[in-house]
Structures are given as structure tokens and as C-alpha cells.
Amino acid sequence: MPQTSAGSSPRDRTREDVFRHIQSAGQLTRARIVELSGLSRSTVNHAVARLLADERVTETQAEGGGPGSGSGRPAAVLRVVPRDGGAPVAAIDFGHNHINVALGDSLGRPVAEERVELDVDMRAVEAIDRAAGLLDGLRGSFGVDRLGAVVAGVPGPLDTASGLVRSPTILSSWVGLAPRKELEQRLGVPVHAENDALLGAYGELHLGVGRCYTDFLYVKVSHGIGAGIVVGGAPYRGALGYAGEIGHTQLPGHTEMCRCGNRGCLETVVSVSALAAQIAHTHPGVVSGPRLLPQVDDPVTERILDGAGRTLGGVLASFCNLLNPSALIVGGELGTSSTGAFVEGVATAVRRHAQPAIAAGLDILPAGLGTRAELLGALRLATTLVPR
């Protein structure tokens, strides 16, 4: 099929911008492109006409119908035409205690995944070596010689200007490292590094429950706590790339020692390791560990999860007052693998402490992609970085 590349004229750049919106979302109506891009309807229509003529997108009736541009007509959606032999992509999800890698096809759909447990926080170089080795192993198993792009999620703040990890209190062994450059040297392919919670938000925005919202707050609650912010249908990183670092918000009255050196940080009270310890303490003989949340379903466990959810919700209420999102999406192990008491606790506290008008317009729900939001978000983002 005919292929085009971004040219130097404003019209060419506009066409490529429209294409990237469609590619990133998976499918979009023309009206939604106007809303997201800020372009005029006529400009969008002209760009779409060229993309259709070049066979780079298709336009078909949306499943289930819906409002369209004319009276009584169903909406039509634009989708990217899969490229014959398009380059596959890959994703790496560095958790605090795990590495998960995946191969995806040219549309970002997962083909194969592999996961290992490792202390990522304290063994940065080993984690990067292991991730590259896992990905090379998957490539060899599936005969993938060329990757279009790789996106890696890191569980801490990345400086957007330098690409360096700069926080000595959150990822101490990573300080001064540039994950993108380190992985590119090992893999020999283009790599983009991003905060893991932001990738989770990106995954929910395009593939999960976030598809229904243009402004939402995604909170990953796992061994650490981080937030991904979506404003106007796009991720918000902040001036330096540190937006969403909420795990080390200090809680009044708490003195638990945190890995950052302070006491009473949110993640010392609300995290997988903190709650695992509480559940193990109240359930003698239950198999537990700092990386494992015991699977116990009883009133005591529900009370522990509900209390932790309320603690987190009290903090998130202030962020909701500040950002006024339309949704609060709770992800990570505690947001998706619990009995539901944790998310209910979050909702109870947010609705109690947020401004009434803000709480009334806020949906609070678990992540639709579960604990795979970060990995699937990385695969989807990688498709937008492949040169065309």
C-alpha cells in the first residue's frame, strides 16, 4: 500500500498529527479528533481525506452506532490500516520487585510475555541486564530480528530533559543512570523510558476504563504508590517529568520509617508489603511475605483493606480538589486483586473529604486492565514511536 512520511510543510505536519491521534487512540471519530487536536473541522477533514487516499486509515461505522455528524446517522470511526510486515514492538515494565517484558505486533497487541521477580530498586544494572536478556530471549523464540520501538516503564521519577533518574531516595541504585540509553546499548533498538504509573494511565486511556474520560487520575497502588495524570485526553508529566509522585506524601500521626529516609510516608502505610504484614499478623500461619498479599477473604482482612483504602482516599481527595478529574482509576495489585474493600475504602474517603461538587462529578473505579495496565500501555505507546 502507499506509504507517506511527514513532510516539511504545515499541511504535511498537520496530517501526521491527525494520524498520530488516530494511531494512539486505536479508533477515533472526526469530531473527537477536532476536540483533541484543537484543529478546525475543515482542517481535520482535509487531513483525513489525504490519509484515506493514501490507504493509511479506514473509516467505518462504529459498532453499536452512536451520534454522527448528520441527523439520525451513526458515528463513523477512523482506524489505522495495519501495515503488511509492520515492525513489532516491545515493552519492559520495571516494578519495585519484578521485571515484566512483552513482545507486541505492529498494533501493540501482546504476542508473548515473561516475568521474573527481582529487587529492582537496589539492583539497577542487574535489572537492566536481565530485562534486555529476557527481551532478547523472546525475540529469539519468535524469530523477531527487528523491533520498531521499545518502551520501558520505571517505578520512579525520570527527568524529561536528561532522561536521568535523579531521586536518590526513591530508586537509590538508579541515580545517575539513563534507562533509555542503557537499554539502547544492550538491545540495539530505539527505546523510550517513561514513569510506570503514567504508562498505566496511558494504557487505561486507550485500552481500559479510561477510554470514557478525557480527564482522570490513575493511581498505581502496589509495592510503591504513584499517579498518572491525564488532562484533555493526554498524559501530563509536569515541568520536569515528576508529576504524580505521591507515594512519599507524609501522613500526620504516622512514624513508620520509609525507604526515602522520612517517616510516615503514604507508601509505608498503604502498599502491598505494609498490608501483607498486617494481614499476616492478624492471621497466624497464613503464607505471606513482603512481595505477596495473602489471599484471605474474611471480615478482618476486609477491615484492613478498607482502612488502607480510606487512608489513601483521604490523600487523594486533595488531589481531586486540585485537578477536578472526571474519574479516579485505582490500579496495581491493591486496586485490582483485592476483594474490592480497598477501592470501596478509597471511594468512601474521597467522597467524604473532597468538595461536594467535585465528588458528585467523580467516578471512582478499579483499573480495567488490572495489573497489566503499565505493560499494555507501554506496548500501545511504542506503536506511536515507530517511524512511518
Side-chain angles (χ1 to χ4, degrees):
M1 69 180 66
Q3 298 290 330
T4 63
S5 59
S8 58
S9 72
R11 181 169 293 180
D12 287 336
R13 290 194 294 271
T14 297
R15 183 170 66 248
E16 294 307 313
D17 286 343
V18 169
F19 178 82
R20 280 190 288 271
H21 277 295
I22 301 169
Q23 184 183 44
S24 178
Q27 65 178 39
L28 283 178
T29 63
R30 297 188 187 215
R32 183 68 176 132
I33 296 172
V34 170
E35 182 181 345
L36 289 174
S37 66
L39 299 170
S40 69
R41 184 175 296 274
S42 61
T43 299
V44 169
N45 286 339
H46 186 275
V48 167
R50 288 301 310 160
L51 292 171
L52 290 169
D54 290 338
E55 299 180 8
R56 298 176 67 191
V57 301
T58 60
E59 189 169 29
T60 57
Q61 179 178 324
E63 296 180 6
S69 57
S71 176
R73 297 192 321 188
V77 294
L78 295 151
R79 297 182 176 89
V80 172
V81 175
R83 295 174 292 168
D84 296 333
V89 296
I92 301 172
D93 173 30
F94 290 105
H96 289 289
N97 293 299
H98 75 265
I99 303 168
N100 202 4
V101 301
L103 281 178
D105 62 18
S106 61
L107 294 180
R109 296 172 298 200
V111 173
E113 300 177 29
E114 189 164 352
R115 177 186 172 108
V116 296
E117 301 296 320
L118 184 72
D119 185 350
V120 171
D121 289 3
M122 301 304 296
R123 298 154 71 178
V125 174
E126 181 182 349
I128 293 171
D129 287 339
R130 192 75 180 275
L134 289 172
L135 188 51
D136 282 339
L138 286 181
R139 292 172 66 181
S141 298
F142 286 83
V144 176
D145 296 325
R146 182 176 66 92
L147 287 171
V150 178
V151 170
V154 178
L158 285 171
D159 188 302
T160 52
S162 65
L164 297 175
V165 177
R166 293 191 179 278
S167 176
T169 59
I170 299 178
L171 292 173
S172 58
S173 71
W174 291 70
V175 174
L177 288 177
R180 176 184 65 82
K181 293 181 180 179
E182 295 288 338
L183 287 166
E184 285 182 343
Q185 290 173 0
R186 291 162 173 79
L187 296 171
V189 297
V191 175
H192 174 80
E194 192 65 81
N195 173 263
D196 63 340
L198 188 139
L199 288 177
Y202 192 86
E204 290 295 326
L205 173 64
H206 295 297
L207 302 167
V209 295
R211 288 177 293 180
C212 301
Y213 307 96
T214 57
D215 299 270
F216 66 83
L217 181 65
Y218 169 86
V219 182
K220 179 183 178 182
V221 194
S222 184
H223 296 88
I225 301 175
I229 304 168
V230 173
V231 177
Y236 176 76
R237 294 173 175 82
L240 300 176
Y242 299 162
E245 291 296 328
I246 65 173
H248 297 276
T249 302
Q250 291 184 281
L251 300 174
H254 285 271
T255 60
E256 297 87 343
M257 178 61 71
C258 182
R259 60 196 170 102
C260 74
N262 289 324
R263 291 183 178 271
C265 291
L266 181 61
E267 73 170 43
T268 67
V269 180
V270 184
S271 67
V272 168
S273 55
L275 296 190
Q278 291 182 48
I279 294 172
H281 180 71
T282 55
H283 296 75
V286 169
V287 177
S288 180
R291 303 180 184 182
L292 176 67
L293 189 68
Q295 298 301 304
V296 181
D297 185 6
D298 64 10
V300 174
T301 301
E302 286 199 3
R303 192 177 305 120
I304 291 172
L305 293 172
D306 177 77
R310 289 171 186 256
T311 298
L312 176 61
V315 173
L316 294 179
S318 296
F319 289 97
C320 290
N321 285 339
L322 176 66
L323 297 171
N324 185 27
S326 52
L328 170 59
I329 301 172
V330 186
E333 283 89 342
L334 288 174
T336 57
S337 299
S338 70
T339 62
F342 182 81
V343 177
E344 291 173 7
V346 171
T348 298
V350 170
R351 300 201 188 286
R352 177 181 178 183
H353 297 292
Q355 290 294 316
I358 289 174
L362 179 68
D363 293 332
I364 303 172
L365 60 167
L369 301 178
T371 56
R372 300 176 73 224
E374 287 72 28
L375 193 70
L376 296 179
L379 284 175
R380 173 53 71 95
L381 180 59
T383 65
T384 70
L385 305 177
V386 179
R388 293 187 64 94

